[in-house]
């Protein structure tokens, strides 16, 4: 693990903070960026996040009529794409711990005309308010790295899945090409906070988000964490040279 802290502390970006403080600090970040969340993702990924999300959903195991839980659902991008896959008889629960993000997502979905088949629930991924075996698919896109107890969240994802169900994690990960790493670091730590200041008047939140990517478990480590949480057939696929990775696991 790339964390060096005691059992009572965790990382908030590159800072060590008490575990009970991280949720509040992350909440402030996402309350701050909620209205500019798509802009944030465009700045962080140079616009490619839209392609990653479409691929993430297109390669998921989901069928007409399925029930899906989209964790850290934010502004509804993944949920909107999933709706086309589950159809009129399917159900999507869009969950987020941050009320401001959830409101932005609900308003955006309503403006798009996506009203039926969606539920919006403010929830903590570490303690999901659903019974066992409730969903055919559980997704979390660009959210796991902000969870304090990632192991607990993965166990909860496994618990609420039906037998045979699939969990999918889309997350910024570890760049694989050595030549690209200094370029990526320069963009993350020099360019991104300045863009955040310029476009959203919020350099600090963007600095945190760049740091949180570096503190997130790399591909092989997260694959092992999913196996430890009970998932079978754990696998991952790098996109864009490992800037992001899609992790997959099944409940058997």
């Amino acid at each position: 693990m790339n964390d060096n802290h005691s059992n009572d502390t965790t990382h908030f970006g590159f800072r060590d903070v008490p575990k009970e403080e991280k949720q509040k600090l992350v909440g402030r970040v996402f309350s701050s960026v909620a209205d500019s969340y798509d802009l944030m993702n465009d700045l962080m990924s140079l616009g490619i996040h839209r392609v990653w999300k479409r691929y993430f959903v297109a390669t998921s195991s989901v069928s007409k009529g399925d029930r899906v839980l989209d964790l850290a659902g934010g502004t509804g991008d993944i949920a909107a794409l999933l709706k086309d896959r589950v159809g009129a008889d399917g159900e999507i629960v869009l969950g987020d711990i941050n009320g401001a993000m959830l409101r932005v997502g609900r308003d955006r979905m309503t403006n798009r005309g996506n009203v039926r088949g969606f539920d919006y629930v403010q929830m903590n991924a570490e303690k999901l308010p659903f019974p066992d075996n409730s969903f055919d698919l559980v997704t979390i896109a660009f959210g796991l790295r902000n969870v304090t107890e990632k192991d607990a969240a993965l166990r909860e994802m496994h618990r609420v899945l039906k037998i045979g169900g699939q969990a999918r994690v889309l997350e910024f990960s570890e760049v694989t090409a050595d030549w690209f790493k200094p370029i990526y670091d320069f963009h993350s730590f020099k360019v991104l906070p300045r863009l955040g200041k310029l476009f959203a008047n919020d350099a600090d939140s963007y600095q945190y988000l760049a740091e949180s990517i570096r503190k997130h478990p790399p591909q092989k480590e997260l694959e092992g964490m999913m196996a430890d949480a009970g998932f079978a057939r754990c696998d991952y696929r790098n996109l864009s040279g490992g800037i992001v990775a899609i992790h997959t696991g099944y409940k058997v």
Side-chain angles (χ1 to χ4, degrees), residues 10-184:
T10 188
H11 56 80
F12 176 73
F14 289 161
R15 292 164 46 200
D16 279 356
V17 299
K19 282 186 175 180
E20 62 271 16
E21 289 294 311
K22 179 171 178 175
Q23 182 176 315
K24 185 193 305 180
L25 292 168
V26 171
R28 288 176 186 166
V29 169
F30 282 92
S31 294
S32 173
V33 303
D35 291 330
S36 59
Y37 186 70
D38 284 344
L39 171 64
M40 177 192 75
N41 281 331
D42 284 331
L43 295 177
M44 292 180 72
S45 71
L46 304 178
I48 307 171
H49 73 99
R50 302 171 193 276
V51 177
W52 295 334
K53 289 172 180 175
R54 285 198 293 270
Y55 184 80
F56 177 65
V57 171
T59 55
S60 62
S61 294
V62 65
S63 304
K64 299 291 185 184
D66 278 356
R67 188 171 188 232
V68 180
L69 172 61
D70 180 34
L71 289 170
T75 49
D77 287 354
I78 299 298
L81 294 168
L82 283 165
K83 185 57 180 170
D84 292 334
R85 302 290 303 277
V86 302
D89 295 329
E91 180 188 359
I92 296 172
V93 178
L94 197 157
D96 204 297
I97 197 171
N98 187 279
M101 292 290 290
L102 204 59
R103 285 190 293 274
V104 170
R106 183 184 58 206
D107 292 346
R108 181 166 296 171
M109 298 290 271
T110 302
N111 291 339
R112 290 172 179 169
N114 292 324
V115 179
R116 298 184 60 186
F118 292 96
D119 286 320
Y120 302 88
V121 183
Q122 189 167 356
M123 66 181 78
N124 187 337
E126 300 168 17
K127 298 176 182 177
L128 298 177
F130 305 106
D132 299 354
N133 308 308
S134 296
F135 297 95
D136 300 284
L137 172 69
V138 179
T139 60
I140 182 168
F142 303 120
L144 185 61
R145 73 180 189 280
N146 299 305
V147 175
T148 303
E149 300 285 358
K150 297 176 180 60
D151 292 316
L154 291 170
R155 289 193 299 270
E156 280 291 271
M157 291 168 67
H158 183 269
R159 181 184 65 78
V160 301
L161 269 178
K162 298 176 182 177
I163 300 297
Q166 184 188 59
R168 303 268 285 175
V169 179
L170 172 63
E171 190 54 88
F172 287 103
S173 202
E174 187 172 72
V175 172
T176 56
D178 288 337
W179 66 267
F180 185 63
K181 290 179 181 179
I183 300 171
Y184 186 53

Side-chain angles (χ1 to χ4, degrees), residues 191-235:
V191 177
L192 184 61
R194 288 180 171 86
L195 291 174
K197 177 66 174 177
L198 180 63
F199 290 103
N201 196 31
D202 188 356
D204 290 345
S205 291
Y206 286 74
Q207 179 76 26
Y208 158 73
L209 291 164
E211 292 176 0
S212 71
I213 293 170
R214 301 312 191 278
K215 299 297 288 184
H216 185 67
Q219 289 90 325
K220 279 293 183 184
E221 185 175 342
L222 183 54
E223 182 182 35
M225 290 170 66
M226 291 188 69
D228 290 342
F231 290 104
R233 293 159 51 202
C234 297
D235 195 10

